[in-house]
Amino acid sequence: MMDILNSRLLLLTAFIFLAACKGKNTTTEKSVVQGYPVISLEPANATVYTDYPATIQGIQNVEIRPKIDGYVDGIYVDEGATVHKGQLLFRISAPQYEENVRTAEANIKIAVADVNAAQMQVNKVEPLVKQDIISHFELESAQYTLEAKRAALAQAKAALNNARINLSYTTISSPVDGVIGILPYKIGSLISGTTTDPLTTVSNITSIYAYFSINEKQGLDFFLASKGETMQQKLAALPPVKLVLANGTVFPLDGKVETASGLINAETGAVNMRATFSNPDGLVRSGSSAVVRMSQQIDTALLIPQKATYQIQGKLFAYVVDKDNKVNSVEVNTGNIYRNYYVVTGGVKRGDRVVADGISNLREGLTIKPQVYVDSTLNKGN
């Protein structure tokens, strides 16, 4: 009986010992300080980009409008077709202009006959005046008649030219190289010089204009940072700009900001600007939407990884490590984005240590073990 009691006592003692050891291990595990990557904020060189919504226009957008009344008799191009200067686009049926040409040609023949008759009369009167058979008055009258007939002939020739010009308006050719827009009128449509919509629009898109706006502060920052004394010199000193197309791809050719409006829009506070891009393949069409991406070099940028921040009610926060290695959340103000970093404009300063990753497990006042944060993608020289 004593052996059984001793065995149970030994088992109970062992159980208590194991429980105590487990509790001790748990306490030890809880006291372990977790390591987190920490970045020390130091000024760096960074090229940041700012995007501005833009609208695209060809360097020429020519509306094709009729100059005469008539019916569309022929359409020789299709929407979206590439055309060359002088290429036939439309033919307008207006037979009255052909009749006007014939009438004008007939009037010229009549005027020529009248001139010849008046000249014959002058030739007949001149020797008679010299022989004093008739008075000089008769000769002057004949000469005046000849001048009147010559003026009538000139007037008839002018009428013929006008008739031929009007007849030429029955065929419409492209005034420039470009791309055809929509064709709102079909064969048989009645058109006139007062028709609201143009027959089509020819857009020259070998080069394109990207129109965009920047606010007054951004404009001052850009131009104050640019070299040069005049506005044109400052515009010439601006770096090339990129064009981001509607599908998110970057247009392969760089553009140049060439103009800035002399007035600031009083309602929006914006400065209108225009960038020019070469578009030899016609990839970008007039009327497209895109984004102009402008670059700016910052020599003393404080960069903080985007994954080092979290957002609450539209505000951005990060965890700053104090001298005792305890973390405290701080609201940070950011501006541009450089790769996967924010450019900090306020909230933290040079020399502050910020937890760079894994912040979802942090809480206010937690003590951590700082570890060096290494990001091979960050090249401070670019």
Side-chain angles (χ1 to χ4, degrees):
M1 188 67 177
M2 290 295 294
D3 293 337
I4 294 174
L5 291 173
N6 290 334
S7 299
R8 289 181 176 178
L9 183 60
L10 290 172
L11 288 173
L12 181 59
T13 304
F15 177 77
I16 294 172
F17 176 76
L18 291 173
C21 291
K22 184 178 180 180
K24 183 177 180 181
N25 289 338
T26 302
T27 303
T28 303
E29 290 175 0
K30 289 183 178 180
S31 64
V32 172
V33 178
Q34 184 71 32
Y36 286 87
V38 172
I39 184 173
S40 180
L41 300 184
E42 295 295 336
N45 295 328
T47 301
V48 298
Y49 298 93
T50 307
D51 291 347
Y52 302 96
T55 56
I56 305 301
Q57 295 292 334
I59 57 173
Q60 288 178 298
N61 286 325
V62 182
E63 292 184 345
I64 306 300
R65 293 183 176 273
K67 294 184 177 181
I68 58 174
D69 301 343
Y71 293 91
V72 177
D73 185 50
I75 301 176
Y76 303 99
V77 291
D78 200 358
E79 295 174 347
T82 299
V83 296
H84 302 287
K85 183 177 181 179
Q87 181 175 339
L88 180 62
L89 303 180
F90 303 95
R91 186 179 298 278
I92 299 174
S93 175
Q96 67 271 26
Y97 295 106
E98 295 180 2
E99 293 301 324
N100 290 341
V101 170
R102 295 190 184 97
T103 300
E105 289 174 342
N107 289 335
I108 285 181
K109 292 180 180 179
I110 296 173
V112 168
D114 289 343
V115 168
N116 292 336
Q119 183 65 57
M120 289 176 61
Q121 182 66 22
V122 170
N123 295 339
K124 176 183 176 181
V125 170
E126 278 183 340
L128 297 176
V129 171
K130 291 179 181 179
Q131 297 174 14
D132 291 330
I133 298 175
I134 60 176
S135 67
H136 192 270
F137 173 79
E138 296 292 338
L139 176 60
E140 289 182 347
S141 178
Q143 289 174 336
Y144 290 146
T145 301
L146 175 60
E147 291 179 1
K149 298 302 182 181
R150 285 174 176 172
L153 175 60
Q155 189 175 27
K157 289 180 179 179
L160 176 60
N161 288 334
N162 288 333
R164 286 173 174 171
I165 290 173
N166 288 332
L167 180 62
S168 70
Y169 292 150
T170 60
T171 58
I172 301 176
S173 301
S174 177
V176 295
D177 296 339
V179 177
I180 295 294
I182 63 172
L183 300 172
Y185 302 102
K186 308 306 177 185
I187 292 179
S189 298
L190 177 63
I191 58 174
S192 69
T194 59
T195 301
T196 303
D197 296 326
L199 296 176
T200 190
T201 301
V202 180
S203 299
N204 184 348
I205 56 173
T206 53
S207 291
I208 53 174
Y209 292 144
Y211 293 93
F212 63 102
S213 299
I214 63 177
N215 62 46
E216 184 178 0
K217 179 181 180 302
Q218 291 170 330
L220 288 173
D221 290 342
F222 270 114
F223 294 127
L224 288 176
S226 299
K227 298 179 180 179
E229 296 180 358
T230 66
M231 180 59 68
Q232 290 303 318
Q233 291 174 345
K234 289 180 178 293
L235 288 171
L238 288 177
V241 295
K242 298 286 187 181
L243 187 68
V244 183
L245 305 180
N247 63 354
T249 60
V250 178
F251 190 63
L253 301 178
D254 290 345
K256 187 67 178 174
V257 177
E258 293 183 339
T259 64
S261 63
L263 295 175
I264 297 175
N265 190 310
E267 296 181 358
T268 63
V271 179
N272 296 322
M273 306 185 73
R274 188 190 76 196
T276 304
F277 295 82
S278 180
N279 186 38
D281 297 330
L283 175 64
V284 184
R285 297 300 179 99
S286 184
S288 301
S289 60
V291 168
V292 171
R293 179 166 291 171
M294 299 183 69
S295 62
Q296 183 182 9
Q297 182 69 33
I298 301 178
D299 298 329
T300 57
L302 291 181
L303 304 177
I304 183 173
Q306 289 179 307
K307 58 187 177 181
T309 63
Y310 64 96
Q311 196 174 59
I312 297 179
Q313 296 181 346
K315 296 182 179 180
L316 211 60
F317 294 85
Y319 283 103
V320 176
V321 184
D322 63 16
K323 61 180 181 179
D324 297 323
N325 293 334
K326 291 183 178 181
V327 297
N328 298 286
S329 61
V330 175
E331 182 183 353
V332 293
N333 300 320
T334 61
N336 301 99
I337 294 177
Y338 174 65
R339 298 183 181 178
N340 57 337
Y341 285 76
Y342 286 120
V343 177
V344 178
T345 58
V348 290
K349 61 184 183 301
R350 175 178 182 175
D352 284 349
R353 296 183 301 165
V354 176
V355 180
D357 200 359
I359 63 173
S360 60
N361 298 323
L362 293 179
R363 66 179 184 273
E364 197 76 14
L366 180 66
T367 300
I368 66 169
K369 180 181 179 181
Q371 297 175 344
V372 177
Y373 175 69
V374 178
D375 184 359
S376 59
T377 65
L378 179 62
N379 183 355
K380 295 183 178 181
N382 293 331

